[in-house]
Amino acid sequence: MKVTEYIEKAAGQTLISFEVLPPLKGGSMKAIFDTLDPLMEFKPPFVDVTYHREEFIYRKRESGYFEKVAIRKRPGTVGICAAIMHRYGVDAVPHLICGGFTKEETENVLIDLNFLNIKNVLALRGDARKFDGKFIPEKNGHSFAIDIVEQTTAMNKGIYLDADIDDGAHSDFCVGVAGYPEKHFESPNLDNDLMFLKAKVDAGADYIVTQMFFDNQHYFNFVDKCRAMGINVPIIPGLKPLTKRYQLNSIPRMFHIDIPDDLASAMQKAKTGADLKEAGIEWCIAQSKELKERGAPCLHYYTMGDADTIRKVAEAVY
Ligand code: FAD
């Protein structure tokens, strides 16, 4: 079923969903199942699976020459989605990114997903590779998430890249996109970012999943601003409990978001690792309860492989 159909069917009840990361190349499905097995009792109707672009380093060889080596690759998003659907009978939502894909490769992935009866995709640009400094699209690839939205909605109408395909098989994808309550870091301001978000929705995006945030007011303001400018699709808040002190610096650095004073000082004051984790979990529970009370369509938890923490939050909220 489509994410939007689940939301409609829930008729105002707040759903729960999770995001998992594919294991690095050489890893196994066990890591994914170990994360999801303990979370399935909360009955998520769908689970997202991220996609990550290959990253390289230049390693110096004895000869003095540098060799380009792929160090991080998380392949298998499509296969992992199929495995999740098969094991748990829930829908899987693969993320599709512009980075590293030509338009044709994106089309081939969409065709495979359609054959697998996968009904949802989350269309994203992807981040810049570390050594590039800024996002560089693949030659003959897409530059912005909206391009994937357009390609997917075109396929829903039977339009493929090959102009010789006349009224091809119509897919029926529901397309999600990302939204940033504290604005995307490259955007000059929130209004400018929202203008591009609206363009994604006007191009056919059916729902929005937000970047994580730790102050619900950012989400409520974001939803109000979206509604005021005519973005009327469901807006699903993304949540992550903090569990480590170093995250007070790493999360703002990586995701360009603020950590509220009260949360930061609760974590700084914690005497033990367990106290610190408890403070992060308590904060996320309070955030989740308020979002639920105020009618968020679904709470989407970034698991980052930590089922135990997410389970504690979900137990208190659902
Ligand atoms: P876009 O919507 O393309 O926007 C990127 C930037 O360009 C924004 O600043 C926007 O305002 C601007 N912009 C948009 N259109 C235009 C235009 N036509 N002209 C000029 N500027 C424009 N990354 C991964 O690599 N893999 C994942 O699986 C993944 N999952 C994610 C899931 C969620 C819920 C979120 C919130 C993020 C995820 N990301 C993932 C990170 C995401 O790819 C990055 O945040 C990326 O930098 C932006 O992606 P986007 O889809 O929002 O881009």
Side-chain angles (χ1 to χ4, degrees):
M1 241 163 87
K2 296 179 178 182
V3 167
T4 47
E5 290 171 339
Y6 284 118
I7 291 171
E8 259 173 53
K9 207 171 140 208
Q13 297 289 310
T14 303
L15 302 171
I16 186 169
S17 63
F18 305 111
E19 179 192 279
V20 292
L21 275 72
L24 289 168
K25 194 188 269 189
S28 80
M29 271 305 289
K30 187 175 176 304
I32 302 271
F33 293 151
D34 285 351
T35 301
L36 288 177
D37 283 353
L39 298 175
M40 279 301 137
E41 70 169 269
F42 302 105
K43 304 205 176 344
F46 60 93
V47 170
D48 276 49
V49 184
T50 61
Y51 193 94
H52 298 270
R53 192 177 182 174
E54 207 157 23
E55 282 190 32
F56 298 97
I57 53 162
Y58 286 88
R59 195 170 283 155
K60 198 170 184 186
R61 291 293 172 211
E62 270 177 24
S63 61
Y65 286 109
F66 284 87
E67 187 189 12
K68 189 177 174 188
V69 188
I71 48 158
R72 277 165 76 86
K73 172 92 174 136
R74 294 181 185 270
T77 297
V78 175
I80 290 168
C81 284
I84 287 174
M85 287 165 68
H86 179 68
R87 182 173 172 104
Y88 303 111
V90 301
D91 276 283
V93 184
H95 291 189
L96 296 182
I97 57 172
C98 303
F101 283 86
T102 64
K103 294 172 193 170
E104 196 171 358
E105 285 164 342
T106 300
E107 181 171 273
N108 291 343
V109 173
L110 285 167
I111 290 169
D112 278 344
L113 295 173
N114 196 31
F115 289 163
L116 285 165
N117 202 26
I118 286 176
K119 289 283 171 220
N120 306 280
V121 293
L122 194 74
L124 300 145
R125 188 194 69 181
D127 279 321
R129 285 177 296 188
K130 283 193 189 80
F131 60 86
D132 283 338
K134 63 172 187 174
F135 179 81
I136 300 176
E138 201 68 10
K139 193 163 173 254
N140 200 26
H142 291 310
S143 300
F144 295 105
I146 190 173
D147 303 325
I148 300 183
V149 177
E150 284 170 350
Q151 187 174 8
T152 310
T153 51
M155 195 185 276
N156 283 351
K157 294 180 193 139
I159 302 165
Y160 290 70
L161 292 174
D162 182 349
D164 287 344
I165 299 177
D166 186 24
D167 194 22
H170 291 224
S171 55
D172 187 20
F173 289 112
C174 169
V175 187
V177 290
Y180 301 83
E182 294 172 70
K183 94 173 181 66
H184 184 258
F185 72 103
E186 290 169 27
S187 205
N189 55 56
L190 184 57
D191 286 344
N192 191 87
D193 203 21
L194 286 175
M195 186 182 80
F196 289 121
L197 178 60
K198 180 153 183 345
K200 291 192 277 192
V201 173
D202 291 346
D206 300 289
Y207 70 100
I208 295 163
V209 184
T210 77
Q211 181 59 279
M212 67 180 79
F213 53 88
F214 295 92
D215 178 349
N216 284 352
Q217 203 50 50
H218 289 305
Y219 171 80
F220 299 132
N221 293 346
F222 178 74
V223 173
D224 287 348
K225 275 189 164 245
C226 285
R227 300 308 181 223
M229 65 192 297
I231 299 174
N232 292 315
V233 297
I235 302 177
I236 298 176
L239 295 166
K240 152 138 191 71
L242 296 184
T243 53
K244 305 265 177 0
R245 190 166 276 127
Y246 69 76
Q247 290 172 329
L248 291 175
N249 302 112
S250 66
I251 295 269
R253 192 171 60 240
M254 285 162 71
F255 299 104
H256 310 276
I257 54 175
D258 279 347
I259 308 237
D261 260 355
D262 289 350
L263 174 58
S265 51
M267 294 193 70
Q268 266 147 0
K269 273 187 213 142
K271 292 211 166 51
T272 65
D275 291 349
L276 201 136
K277 195 169 173 180
E278 196 53 38
I281 290 174
E282 283 306 318
W283 187 274
C284 191
I285 290 172
Q287 260 195 292
S288 304
K289 283 185 173 168
E290 188 187 25
L291 289 163
K292 203 167 163 231
E293 268 161 34
R294 293 194 42 183
C298 177
L299 303 184
H300 185 68
Y301 292 98
Y302 298 111
T303 65
M304 296 188 181
D306 186 356
D308 180 49
T309 298
I310 303 294
R311 212 187 128 76
K312 286 194 172 106
V313 174
E315 267 171 348
V317 179
Y318 285 87

